[in-house]
Amino acid sequence: MNKSKRLNYAETRDRIERSHSLVTGGPLGTIQINLLIKYNGWLLHEFLGKTLQEFNLSTAGYITMHLINSAPDQIANPSDLTVCTGETRANMTRISDELVERGLLRRVTNEHDRRRVDLSLTDEGHALLKQVVPHARARGKAIYGVFDDEELAMFEKLLLKLLRSLELRVAGQ
């Protein structure tokens, strides 16, 4: 989404509330929760992006590197990465090309199917993750510092409960 054109939360909520009232004659109800989640998601994504900018790394590149690092034998296939990241094949190719060009990933021939090319982290890739992760965690801790330990535990519990509900309903469509 073009951030420069996005309305702030209050403006968007007011406009949707007016429309919703015209259609239903009633209040927003849970629609407001949907808006809050959407806006928080946008802002969290932007915050992580700004954190990673310092390391010349995109959010998708960072997540890709973590998925490869956590894969069996620390090798992953780009097609599998598209499923895990939600990126398109074309975008995963672009992300992989950039990370290979920077020396953070290398392409390796799949040992079971020589037609397939997989990806693995280079030593430079591992070193960058070791640099970025503590920095990203510290910045993330600052965001969630507005919650005490009990609130944070409840927040996580509620988000997981919502996730399970959504997964059931989306899968059952």
Side-chain angles (χ1 to χ4, degrees):
M1 158 146 242
N2 184 343
K3 293 171 245 157
S4 64
K5 292 184 180 181
R6 183 174 61 221
L7 295 175
N8 71 37
Y9 170 74
E11 293 168 321
T12 302
R13 184 203 59 233
D14 290 347
R15 289 175 69 171
I16 291 175
E17 190 169 38
R18 275 193 305 276
S19 175
H20 198 268
S21 180
L22 290 169
V23 173
T24 67
L28 274 177
T30 58
I31 304 271
Q32 181 161 319
I33 295 170
N34 294 350
L35 282 173
L36 284 165
I37 290 170
K38 186 167 198 73
Y39 267 80
N40 277 287
W42 277 334
L43 292 171
L44 283 168
H45 186 79
E46 285 178 32
F47 185 81
L48 179 58
K50 287 180 180 180
T51 299
L52 297 172
Q53 256 178 350
E54 299 174 38
F55 300 91
N56 193 27
L57 200 56
S58 69
T59 303
Y62 180 67
I63 292 168
T64 298
M65 290 175 68
H66 274 294
L67 289 169
I68 294 168
N69 194 43
S70 65
D73 299 324
Q74 295 185 320
I75 295 173
N77 184 269
S79 294
D80 297 336
L81 292 170
T82 63
V83 173
C84 295
T85 61
E87 298 291 339
T88 63
R89 286 179 184 261
N91 204 36
M92 184 52 63
T93 298
R94 184 191 57 74
I95 293 163
S96 301
D97 287 348
E98 287 175 7
L99 294 172
V100 167
E101 187 176 306
R102 286 188 56 198
L104 302 173
L105 296 183
R106 73 174 144 276
R107 289 186 173 86
V108 293
T109 303
N110 183 285
E111 63 182 52
H112 303 293
D113 181 351
R114 299 194 58 77
R115 296 170 296 171
R116 248 176 70 162
V117 176
D118 295 328
L119 297 165
S120 69
L121 289 174
T122 62
D123 290 342
E124 292 85 0
H126 284 285
L128 183 62
L129 279 181
K130 286 182 181 183
Q131 235 186 324
V132 175
V133 169
H135 183 71
R137 288 178 67 119
R139 300 249 347 229
K141 190 174 183 177
I143 292 173
Y144 295 104
V146 298
F147 300 111
D148 62 34
D149 290 344
E150 187 177 315
E151 289 172 324
L152 199 54
M154 180 55 74
F155 186 53
E156 182 178 2
K157 182 179 177 181
L158 293 171
L159 286 172
L160 285 168
K161 191 173 186 177
L162 176 62
L163 177 67
R164 284 189 290 277
S165 176
L166 285 167
E167 285 175 338
L168 285 171
R169 280 152 184 81
V170 169
Q173 287 182 359

